[in-house]
Amino acid sequence: MVNMDLYNQTETVNELLARYGVKFGIYKDQTFKEQLFPFDTIPRIITNQEFLYLEKGLKQRVLALNYFINDIYSEKKIVKDNVVPEEFVYASSGYLPRCEGVCPPKGIYAHISGIDLVQGKDGEWYILEDNLRVPSGASYPMIAREFCRRSSPKTFKKHHIDDNRNYADMLRKTMDYVNTGGHTVILTPGRYNAAYFEHSYLAEKTGAHLVTGSELTVENDHLYYIDYTGKKEPVGAVYRRISDEYLDPMSFNEESVIGIPHIYDIFRKGNVALLNAPGNGVADDKGIYYFVPKMIRYYLDEEPVLKNAPTYVPYYKDDMAYVLEHFDNLVLKDVAEAGGYGVVFGNSMSKEQKADFIQLLKKEPRRFIAQEVIDFVDIDIFDEGKVVPRKADLRAFVLMADEPMVWRSGLTRFSRNPKSFIVNSSQGGGFKDTWVLSQ
Amino acid sequence: MKALQFHYSMRIRFASPVREHHFTLRCLPGSDERQRIQNLSYTVFPNEFVSLAQDSFENECIYGYSKGEHDRFEVDVRGNVTTGLSDSISAPREERAAIFKYQTWLTKPGEHLLAYRKKFDFPAAVSSYDKAYRIMEQLHGDFTYEAGATNVLTTAEEALALRKGVCQDYAHIMISLCRMFLIPARYVVGMLEGEGASHAWVEIYDSGRWYAFDPTNFLTVKNDHIKISNGRDYKDCMINQGVFCGQTTQTQEVSVVVLS
């Protein structure tokens, strides 16, 4: 689909995005810098039929992940039945012993999930990773769509594109579903956070209060929001955009000054909902990723719809042998790292680097996974006026209320470097709108 | 069996007043198969907001918040205990006990612990209980009790290098060694007759039950110990944890009286 009318508005849309503060912050050399997130007007287009297939697979996956987290913090059947080895759970940085025995409101641990996928050249979609902790990114295609519509209304009249402005309603429904009685708030660490734009935008669109930790207080087993006049109102749901370790200095990192003391105690008592629930990182660990298809079979008794990228876990002897034999064809990932860090390609290492790496791998096999390099499809972007192919992935958003819901849009990120497969915004990439066709 | 009564008290004085004080206190002993608690009573000052909660290791906690300024913080807990009702505590689910097989920041071995481990050569048939006993015996002989040599954040590795420390260090080292032999081991805080302060010891898992060992005193726990809390290490069992606003210094006095 060629939409010159929209493409000609690239500059206008990017100017609007800059004016509305659509930025993300990064810390580089110990100073905080805000960067624009370059927007490319050529959309990624997904047909209705293809999206229905993705939707089916994503719902299945998030459902199984929620069952898994619940099981891990309660009965641990999957460990007992030896489907997931114990050390992959207890030695994972995402597993929090403080969450043992907790049942979050309505049993949901992963309310808002960002699932990263890529499409191979053969047309097959692969799951790259599950982001369950505090996945961000939905606000970017939401606001970009708004500006695209404004700049080129006829493009949206011409095509049957699903409206993606319902994300706020889906999020509100998700928050209301678990609310234990009281206001709904979005908890931000503040304006120096990488995703502050998103926090404020989602608060505005959902009608939730945007708050920092100092505006919330726990008294007598309940959480309260104190507004600027000093008025105190009960809070029933907190969409928290701060990570587990900073959430509550009494239960997690005691040095945290952005958290709310005792919020975790009242969460344990069922007196407030936290979205997403602390401890759910146990399921998005790169080491656990390998086991997700097994989880789907274990909990749902179904075959996984969507495939994982072919993955090897050197912890298993057979996999270790395979990894050593095919080292140059694989990408190796440190399970403890995120954001495109700790990822190395076997064929990019020098002889010495390779020898060192293999030594480390043998010493700490649990720390790494290896994956086949997927040759994923290029999609077109504008680069200085010319159309060029680049690597891109798709972050799909799955929200969990009484049932899982998949947002019919998503964040498409691309690498501006023609040689790079790494598309993370923290590595300087840009983004696109994702159109899901309604017919 | 033994009938004991106890009084735990903690008095903190702040040199200048503090406010916005949040606290969690793990100082309430609970009943289990080994001990029965009766007539438990407690007071906390200041008591603007005070509640009870259970943490993930099933320890009973007092938690609360005091907004206003105060220059002292006081806790008193009293009760009667019957101890020695059993030699162990049942742990019906092994997969739950497995959490205690993993080292924490405080118990993680370094070169000293790895070298020390070589002192033990267990034939395959030795039970976890007997291994733990042997570890306790060896450690008791090689380690000297000395107050002031270590502090609350000293790791097992550091304490072993010094070869001296207090009950906390004995417990951490023993836990670290047990975990190296894949025996689930947990840290226990409690009270002991004649000790004057709180005490720390170890519970190890064997065939569905937790057995308590006191490496500081080289004995298996029977009638004299009153258990307050357990966790993976000291940090899970801190008796007093707090955050507050105010530039100040504090002095703390703790007294534990156990009478039979």
Side-chain angles (χ1 to χ4, degrees), chain B residues 30-36 57-59 83-94 97 129 184 186-189 201-213 221-222 225-230:
Chain B
S31 293
D32 58 30
E33 285 164 70
R34 206 186 59 80
Q35 66 184 22
R36 188 168 57 242
F57 301 107
E58 288 161 11
N59 300 313
T83 57
L85 298 170
S86 160
D87 69 338
S88 57
I89 303 167
S90 71
R93 299 211 326 268
E94 190 177 355
Y129 183 96
R186 62 189 189 188
Y187 187 91
V188 179
V189 165
W201 61 92
V202 176
E203 283 179 353
I204 70 105
Y205 177 89
D206 189 351
S207 316
R209 299 193 74 80
W210 289 104
Y211 295 90
F213 293 80
V221 168
K222 293 192 174 65
H225 294 65
I226 304 169
K227 176 175 169 177
I228 295 175
S229 63
N230 61 247

Side-chain angles (χ1 to χ4, degrees), chain A residues 364-375:
Chain A
E364 296 180 62
R366 157 75 184 86
R367 208 177 122 185
F368 299 94
I369 59 165
Q371 290 177 327
E372 303 284 357
V373 180
I374 299 173
D375 194 7

Side-chain angles (χ1 to χ4, degrees), chain A residues 241-261:
Chain A
R241 297 297 301 251
I242 70 181
S243 57
D244 289 352
E245 62 263 50
Y246 294 107
L247 190 59
D248 180 349
M250 306 307 287
S251 281
F252 304 109
N253 185 344
E254 66 248 53
E255 317 237 302
S256 171
V257 291
I258 54 174
I260 301 114

